[in-house]
Amino acid sequence: MIQKKRAPTEHASFRINTNTLDNLKKISKDQKLSLNTYVNQIFDSHVNWDVNASEIGWIVMLKSASTELIKHVDNQTIIKIAKDAAESGAKEIALSMRGKYGVNEWISILKERAKSSGFSIKEYNEKNNTKLVMFHEMGEQWSLFFKTYYETIFFDLGSKIKTEYTENSIIIELEV
């Protein structure tokens, strides 16, 4: 069995509103996580996503509304919007969120974005290849958008990229 190397930790004490702490305990128990693990996940998500996401243009929107809106857009328009969005903002997003514009930073951003959106994402590493499989349940139009958006970013970064998509998933293979 392969064991992951644990990140160094440090003890800290916090005063937390009793109702909030009770809710945290209940959620961690429901998710079969220790309270410590659950709170660390919350802190990690906040530091790596929440703090900067809204500042650089990410918004929270009802999934069903987003899905309905994009259903009425033709493929050429979706591709144009995805390319334009990637070309105009990818570098600023990476610099703001990770301090560097590179392939590993964008893999990290893609994974955090998926997690914060409630998408399932799996990463497979083999030699010099990274394969990311994201399941989003938002329909084929969104798959086309994600495919085009991430292809544009990784191509700009000089990465060899192959993508596939289905109605509710996208597969991104990168040579890193």
Side-chain angles (χ1 to χ4, degrees):
M1 176 171 22
I2 299 172
Q3 290 187 344
K4 288 186 179 180
K5 205 176 195 182
R6 284 193 173 167
T9 61
E10 188 173 323
H11 178 81
S13 295
F14 299 96
R15 292 198 157 288
I16 300 174
N17 174 290
T18 302
N19 290 335
T20 302
L21 182 58
D22 288 343
N23 286 330
L24 289 169
K25 287 177 180 177
K26 182 184 180 321
I27 294 167
S28 69
K29 183 179 179 184
D30 291 347
Q31 294 185 6
K32 295 179 174 55
L33 296 171
S34 71
L35 180 60
N36 186 71
T37 298
Y38 183 57
V39 169
N40 269 293
Q41 288 176 356
I42 293 169
F43 288 160
D44 183 66
S45 178
H46 182 73
V47 168
N48 289 309
W49 185 260
D50 300 337
V51 169
N52 296 310
S54 64
E55 285 181 13
I56 57 171
W58 295 102
I59 64 166
V60 175
M61 186 172 178
L62 195 59
K63 191 177 194 178
S64 60
S66 298
T67 303
E68 280 302 310
L69 282 170
I70 203 166
K71 276 184 188 177
H72 303 287
V73 180
D74 64 89
N75 288 359
Q76 285 180 303
T77 303
I78 291 170
I79 290 168
K80 181 181 180 344
I81 291 170
K83 282 184 179 181
D84 289 350
E87 289 169 354
S88 68
K91 190 169 190 174
E92 289 77 15
I93 289 169
L95 291 172
S96 177
M97 296 189 89
R98 299 296 186 264
K100 186 177 172 189
Y101 181 55
V103 171
N104 289 330
E105 288 72 26
W106 259 102
I107 290 172
S108 170
I109 291 167
L110 191 161
K111 289 172 18 183
E112 281 294 323
R113 184 207 174 271
K115 189 167 59 173
S116 74
S117 297
F119 301 160
S120 165
I121 190 159
K122 303 280 187 201
E123 179 177 358
Y124 304 94
N125 295 297
E126 191 176 293
K127 296 184 184 174
N128 294 334
N129 290 327
T130 295
K131 181 192 271 188
L132 300 161
V133 180
M134 182 172 69
F135 183 72
H136 55 78
E137 295 184 303
M138 292 182 67
E140 192 166 347
Q141 302 293 75
W142 273 109
S143 290
L144 176 61
F145 178 88
F146 293 139
K147 170 193 175 300
T148 306
Y149 184 78
Y150 292 119
E151 275 179 347
T152 304
I153 291 168
F154 287 113
F155 180 78
D156 182 57
L157 288 166
S159 183
K160 290 183 181 179
I161 180 170
K162 289 192 309 187
T163 58
E164 294 177 52
Y165 70 94
T166 67
E167 182 178 350
N168 290 304
S169 64
I170 178 169
I171 301 165
I172 300 170
E173 290 186 67
L174 299 165
E175 192 174 300
V176 290

